[in-house]
Amino acid sequence: METVVYGFQISPDSDDEFVFAATQERCQEECVQHRNDILTSSDQYGAHNPLGAMAIYRFTLKSLSTNELLTVLNDEHLDLLKNAVVERKLVAVVAE
């Protein structure tokens, strides 16, 4: 059995960290709010230095056995996304 979740980049142009939601609509809402928070809390971005676009992906995750899940949870060097994602598809981009 596979599970589908949606995730957006926490930082533009970086696929290192994501925030996840159950639906694409909710993910997009959270991404827009996150962008607004960044823009209002930082004087780093403006007309001469715009905040880059943030990607929203559809992640399809395989079911992990109990042993696989325990291995990922207990080993700080293993990444759940790298071990469970069977497909990642760009579904939207949030920008100004």
Side-chain angles (χ1 to χ4, degrees):
M1 181 175 180
E2 295 178 338
T3 302
V4 172
V5 296
Y6 295 85
F8 70 85
Q9 297 171 318
I10 291 177
S11 299
D13 301 321
S14 174
D15 283 345
D16 292 334
E17 295 182 85
F18 296 91
V19 172
F20 295 95
T23 67
Q24 182 176 341
E25 293 78 16
R26 182 68 182 149
C27 190
Q28 187 144 352
E29 290 169 4
E30 290 183 20
C31 184
V32 168
Q33 182 61 50
H34 181 69
R35 285 182 66 81
N36 288 339
D37 291 347
I38 291 172
L39 291 170
T40 58
S41 66
S42 173
D43 57 359
Q44 177 181 352
Y45 301 104
H48 299 292
N49 187 27
L51 181 62
M54 298 168 84
I56 297 175
Y57 294 98
R58 178 182 187 263
F59 290 90
T60 302
L61 307 165
K62 70 178 181 177
S63 293
L64 297 176
S65 69
T66 300
N67 285 338
E68 289 172 319
L69 185 57
L70 289 172
T71 299
V72 170
L73 292 172
N74 289 322
D75 188 334
E76 64 188 50
H77 301 291
L78 292 181
D79 183 339
L80 180 60
L81 288 180
K82 290 179 183 172
N83 287 279
V85 172
V86 293
E87 180 182 49
R88 181 176 81 172
K89 181 179 178 183
L90 179 66
V91 294
V93 174
V94 176
E96 271 72 60

